[in-house]
Amino acid sequence: MINLTEINVTNIKGVGEKKAKLLKKLKIETIYDLLTYYPRDYENFSEVFKIRDKINSKGLFKVKVTSKPVVRLIRSNLKLTTINVKDDSMGAVLVFFNLPYFMQSYFTRGNELYIYGEVSKKNYEIQITNAEIVNNSKIGTFSPIYGLTAGLSNNEITKITKNALSSFSEKIIDYLPGQVKDKSILMDKYEAIENIHFPKSIDLYNSARRRLAFDEIFFLQGVLKSQNFRSDSKNSKNILIDNDLLNNFYENLPFSLTGAQKRVLDEIFIDFKNQNMNRLVQGDVGSGKTVIAAICLLIASINGYQSAIMAPTEILAKQHFETIKKFLKSYDLDIRLLIGSTLNKEKQTIYDDLESGKIDIIVGTHSLIQESVVFNNLVLTIVDEQHRFGVEQRKALYNKGDHPYNLSMTATPIPRSLALILYSEMDISVIDELPPGRQEIDTSVINYSYIDRLDKFVIKQIKEGRQVYVVCPLIDESDMPLKSLEEVFSHYNSSTFLDENISTCALHGKMKSSEKEKIMQDFKDRKYDVIVSTTVIEVGVDVPNANLMIIYDADRFGLAQLHQLRGRVGRGKHKSYCVLITNSNSEVSYNRLQIMKESTDGFFIANKDLEFRGQGELLGTRQHGINDLYFIDLNKDLKMIKYIQDNYDRIFNEIKRYDELENEYKTSISYLTRDSK
Ligand code: ADP
Ligand code: MG
């Protein structure tokens, strides 16, 4: 199909300079762009429904006109036309705004026609709005709905796409050989493209989607494979595990490890034994990943090697530095912190001591991957919140060692199918159990009418010495009626709070990261009582004194994200609360938010999120590129994902058309990595 990236749309019948310009606004310049400009939805003309069965939804109806059109002028530029119709189930009123005059002739009394529209109940009558008259030739099909731009109608894009399909069908060459398609029961590429635009039936649509999903997974797998920096078969340095030392460590811990932590450690120890580790530890906020990291660091150090742990922000790095020093205090280890704000003189000392091998463990941020950092014998790399780093960054740290063991950690619970896609080259360990005695965070869902009461509660908590997080979805006011950060910030700066000597700071993504970190640090140091923020506080900063999380317009967030945000509180000994504010009266968003009340299990919540919001939301917030996956259905394609992963090399070898594949790769790689960073 790649050859089609070289053919301009002006080669399509009916596309001149003018249309080409309009198409360009939709980022469509070549035939390839056009054919991969997939419909965002379809009108279902394949089935005629009864009006009665489609109240509050859309459908195709066969109606008989029972009255003449009545035209009323609402405003100088707004004409309302109503026509009475009926089908075998009931009567209804067709409502048109500014119906062109010539169209009125369709609606002569007694005439029968097919109408596609939206049925609703208004003022005791059944109305059909946004209706279109459906040509007999379209009955039985699905009609694509494309994203549009001014000056280009859906009909025009439909026609252009049809023309392109018929003129260039021969150029859509399938890179997959027949035997692969047969084995996996995959549709031919041309047929898939055709049926994704113009499905001849639901079944054919499903087959087309599945075929295109296969391509997405297959290409992505290739991309990930090419990015993988640790598939080398070369062994890492030999590491011995000293059980006496470990037992001593465990005995001196202020807690005993959970079963899940022990299991994950066992998995890690097997990697040490096999002298090969590329493992991702997934564990909900607070599941105790840091102690696991500390144990690995200890083991590597005792074996005489250097190790590094990298975190995405200075605060997190500092936090890790303190915690790890505490965990390892009874061992004579040289542990240092290297971050952007480390003084230059100190940096130089650290560089020297890393290179000479004096330092055992270095904790840091991106500063660790600068060129001036040279290790003596780096054997273990740990990356915390690994999804916050790009491949290049992770690779840069890795390459500072000699085939080091690599441990990544993330608090983002994601469904298994997604984990399989994103982390196909890693072994995954899951800490699926929280340490005992964790307090439940009291979660409630309220609407704006309770704000006064909430304010009183906020003041009470602060009087008792606590601190409060407030999160809202937006910075500016453009997208009313949502509460903006400014608005919420000024609410907490109103006399209600000022009179109580309550101080509030604000934090948002448009700030420089040094600014953000300063505010976060000040909040941690209790210089403020309230922090109003966009979601930038998501990352695991520990403020044990904060016990109340308030989230405005909570329905705007994904559940997994709400879960992460909620995890900011409940980290100290104080009873903690999470208040979700919503003004949405939709039942779906209400039910969705109720899940937050019912569950504290990140994986359960992530799966529910998938059910409710669909994968777009999940995919959209992940690693770059993944948001472009369009056809993969995380619920349906788990088996296919696994199949491709297990058989990737074999399928790759069966593909004779390497050139074709390579080009498809290039396109999909540039496609997958666009807007990255
Ligand atoms: P996260 O997985 O979010 O990084 P942390 O490692 O920061 O979690 O652990 C959260 C808190 O739980 C820390 O204060 C840590 O000391 C404590 N903790 C870790 N493991 C246990 C355990 N098995 N029992 C009790 N507390 C634990
Ligand atoms: Mg952590």
Side-chain angles (χ1 to χ4, degrees):
M1 247 183 102
I2 184 69
N3 33 14
L4 296 176
T5 56
E6 273 147 36
I7 308 177
N8 199 280
V9 284
T10 45
N11 290 294
I12 304 169
K13 202 173 80 194
V15 180
E17 287 304 319
K18 207 175 130 224
K19 288 234 171 87
K21 239 187 193 151
L22 289 168
L23 286 169
K24 199 172 166 184
K25 284 193 188 157
L26 299 171
K27 299 203 171 72
I28 301 171
E29 295 185 60
T30 66
I31 310 277
Y32 183 90
D33 298 336
L34 181 74
L35 294 181
T36 53
Y37 191 71
Y38 301 116
R40 50 179 181 76
D41 205 351
Y42 301 88
E43 292 174 324
N44 180 359
F45 299 151
S46 74
E47 196 177 342
V48 180
F49 291 96
K50 294 197 189 312
I51 297 172
R52 186 184 295 284
D53 296 337
K54 281 281 163 184
I55 290 172
N56 292 326
S57 61
K58 289 181 197 169
L60 177 72
F61 310 104
K62 188 177 186 185
V63 299
K64 191 173 205 164
V65 178
T66 56
S67 80
K68 277 205 313 215
V70 178
V71 183
R72 269 184 300 155
L73 201 61
I74 306 282
R75 280 198 308 272
S76 62
N77 57 353
L78 187 65
K79 219 170 49 177
L80 184 77
T81 305
T82 54
I83 300 138
N84 292 338
V85 296
K86 65 166 198 197
D87 71 357
D88 345 334
S89 70
M90 67 194 307
V93 184
L94 279 177
V95 180
F96 292 99
F97 294 101
N98 293 337
L99 184 73
Y101 183 73
F102 75 89
M103 294 274 292
Q104 290 193 11
S105 60
Y106 284 95
F107 300 105
T108 45
R109 204 181 302 197
N111 216 359
E112 276 196 328
L113 31 86
Y114 288 103
I115 292 285
Y116 184 89
E118 219 173 310
V119 184
S120 59
K121 208 170 187 168
K122 285 213 184 75
N123 311 328
Y124 305 103
E125 73 181 15
I126 299 294
Q127 298 190 345
I128 301 178
T129 49
N130 292 322
E132 67 176 291
I133 299 170
V134 181
N135 228 316
N136 276 346
S137 67
K138 282 191 175 177
I139 303 300
T141 68
F142 288 79
S143 195
I145 303 174
Y146 296 101
L148 301 178
T149 185
L152 205 56
S153 71
N154 197 55
N155 271 338
E156 281 171 301
I157 297 184
T158 306
K159 208 193 262 155
I160 294 168
T161 307
K162 258 200 180 126
N163 287 345
L165 267 172
S166 65
S167 313
F168 295 94
S169 60
E170 262 132 63
K171 290 220 148 78
I172 301 179
I173 299 161
D174 201 341
Y175 72 94
L176 271 186
Q179 73 265 26
V180 174
K181 281 183 279 189
D182 290 349
K183 212 173 276 169
S184 303
I185 320 172
L186 289 171
M187 194 180 234
D188 172 75
K189 184 91 177 194
Y190 173 81
E191 220 187 329
I193 297 278
E194 189 183 30
N195 275 288
I196 212 69
H197 286 282
F198 308 106
K200 293 190 199 91
S201 70
I202 285 266
D203 286 347
L204 286 170
Y205 166 80
N206 285 333
S207 303
R209 183 204 69 77
R210 194 166 161 278
R211 166 60 210 259
L212 297 175
F214 182 97
D215 289 357
E216 278 180 356
I217 301 164
F218 191 71
F219 293 148
L220 179 62
Q221 184 67 18
V223 174
L224 292 174
K225 261 182 129 61
S226 71
Q227 289 183 342
N228 177 33
F229 50 88
R230 218 211 169 283
S231 65
D232 48 74
S233 48
K234 195 157 180 286
N235 281 350
S236 301
K237 294 266 170 59
N238 189 21
I239 280 190
L240 293 175
I241 294 170
D242 179 342
N243 282 321
D244 292 341
L245 175 96
L246 280 181
N247 288 333
N248 176 272
F249 178 87
Y250 297 149
E251 271 159 30
N252 288 313
L253 267 185
F255 47 77
S256 44
L257 296 179
T258 62
Q261 282 170 318
K262 283 188 203 146
R263 181 170 37 77
V264 170
L265 273 174
D266 284 343
E267 287 163 3
I268 289 173
F269 292 167
I270 290 173
D271 293 342
F272 279 139
K273 211 162 137 197
N274 293 337
Q275 289 180 250
N276 191 331
M277 164 156 59
N278 191 22
R279 184 168 293 279
L280 177 70
V281 175
Q282 256 189 340
D284 219 342
V285 260
S287 59
K289 293 184 290 295
T290 322
V291 67
I292 304 256
I295 292 169
C296 294
L297 294 169
L298 174 64
I299 291 173
S301 308
I302 293 297
N303 277 270
Y305 300 123
Q306 290 180 306
S307 41
I309 172 165
M310 181 164 77
T313 63
E314 297 212 346
I315 298 186
L316 268 178
K318 281 188 208 161
Q319 203 171 281
H320 278 326
F321 178 61
E322 296 304 329
T323 317
I324 286 164
K325 265 200 313 193
K326 227 183 273 164
F327 276 133
L328 303 182
K329 65 175 181 296
S330 37
Y331 307 89
D332 184 23
L333 298 176
D334 191 342
I335 307 174
R336 306 274 183 97
L337 176 70
L338 178 64
I339 55 183
S341 60
T342 306
L343 297 176
N344 277 338
K345 217 180 107 204
E346 201 187 331
K347 271 187 189 159
Q348 195 50 57
T349 317
I350 292 177
Y351 297 153
D352 294 344
D353 292 349
L354 277 174
E355 188 156 9
S356 74
K358 188 165 180 293
I359 294 175
D360 298 300
I361 296 170
I362 184 89
V363 184
T365 53
H366 304 80
S367 298
L368 292 178
I369 55 181
Q370 262 146 25
E371 234 170 88
S372 26
V373 177
V374 178
F375 287 83
N376 185 285
N377 59 356
L378 177 66
V379 161
L380 168 67
T381 58
I382 303 182
V383 181
D384 192 22
E385 304 291 345
Q386 70 98 35
H387 60 279
R388 300 256 315 216
F389 291 97
V391 185
E392 291 308 320
Q393 295 170 320
R394 284 183 271 148
K395 194 149 125 189
L397 181 64
Y398 182 83
N399 284 340
K400 290 194 183 284
D402 176 17
H403 301 270
Y405 295 87
N406 183 53
L407 188 67
S408 297
M409 307 196 293
T410 179
T412 315
I414 51 175
R416 204 174 107 77
S417 47
L418 186 55
L420 273 174
I421 298 177
L422 293 183
Y423 310 124
S424 57
E425 297 304 309
M426 291 184 169
D427 297 308
I428 300 182
S429 291
V430 182
I431 311 184
D432 50 5
E433 177 188 356
L434 288 184
R438 262 309 137 72
Q439 52 157 309
E440 291 272 301
I441 298 163
D442 198 328
T443 303
S444 47
V445 182
I446 65 168
N447 65 32
Y448 282 117
S449 60
Y450 285 83
I451 290 278
D452 287 348
R453 275 200 241 174
L454 178 61
D455 286 350
K456 290 199 182 94
F457 185 65
V458 169
I459 292 167
K460 182 166 166 275
Q461 292 304 319
I462 293 171
K463 292 263 119 137
E464 285 173 15
R466 303 287 78 76
Q467 288 167 285
V468 179
Y469 286 107
V470 181
V471 174
C472 33
L474 297 169
I475 302 184
D476 53 42
E477 285 176 67
S478 54
D479 197 5
M480 295 298 278
L482 299 184
K483 293 281 182 197
S484 70
L485 184 105
E486 279 88 345
E487 247 181 299
V488 175
F489 183 63
S490 59
H491 176 71
Y492 288 95
N493 277 300
S494 65
S495 56
T496 318
F497 295 94
L498 291 183
D499 292 351
E500 304 283 344
N501 273 325
I502 287 171
S503 63
T504 301
C505 58
L507 184 72
H508 57 77
K510 285 193 184 155
M511 291 173 161
K512 281 212 282 276
S513 57
S514 56
E515 243 178 306
K516 280 190 283 194
E517 296 225 358
K518 166 129 186 25
I519 288 177
M520 213 47 231
Q521 189 66 51
D522 285 348
F523 182 65
K524 196 174 162 141
D525 296 341
R526 298 180 71 165
K527 289 186 188 151
Y528 298 101
D529 304 303
V530 180
I531 186 166
V532 179
S533 153
T534 51
T535 55
V536 288
I537 54 151
E538 229 178 306
V539 171
V541 175
D542 221 353
V543 185
N545 189 52
N547 75 328
L548 172 57
M549 166 64 69
I550 298 172
I551 303 173
Y552 278 77
D553 295 307
D555 46 287
R556 282 302 174 106
F557 295 95
L559 293 181
Q561 206 180 5
L562 291 175
H563 177 69
Q564 294 266 312
L565 288 168
R566 179 168 63 182
R568 299 298 97 223
V569 297
R571 306 196 139 218
K573 50 185 181 298
H574 315 288
K575 170 92 192 116
S576 295
Y577 306 88
C578 174
V579 179
L580 306 173
I581 310 177
T582 169
N583 244 10
S584 159
N585 41 22
S586 115
E587 199 174 325
V588 175
S589 50
Y590 179 80
N591 289 339
R592 206 166 64 84
L593 291 178
Q594 289 304 310
I595 290 168
M596 295 302 295
K597 280 180 71 171
E598 287 156 21
S599 177
T600 52
D601 175 345
F603 285 92
F604 175 81
I605 289 173
N607 277 318
K608 280 286 174 191
D609 222 8
L610 183 60
E611 262 172 49
F612 268 96
R613 308 237 294 186
Q615 62 195 27
E617 204 53 44
L618 276 174
L619 292 170
T621 54
R622 306 290 159 229
Q623 228 147 302
H624 69 246
I626 307 308
N627 37 349
D628 291 318
L629 298 181
Y630 192 80
F631 292 110
I632 292 177
D633 184 326
L634 294 175
N635 284 316
K636 288 185 191 150
D637 296 331
L638 183 59
K639 248 173 136 172
M640 190 158 78
I641 292 167
K642 269 217 69 73
Y643 177 81
I644 292 176
Q645 267 161 6
D646 294 345
N647 296 280
Y648 182 85
D649 291 331
R650 189 183 53 73
I651 298 172
F652 188 88
N653 288 329
E654 280 180 47
I655 295 169
K656 297 288 180 315
R657 304 192 57 95
Y658 283 118
D659 51 337
E660 182 72 17
L661 179 67
E662 218 167 87
N663 285 326
E664 289 264 6
Y665 263 155
K666 270 187 219 144
T667 323
S668 67
I669 288 171
S670 66
Y671 177 72
L672 284 166
T673 51
R674 82 182 163 195
D675 297 329
S676 62
K677 286 206 189 82

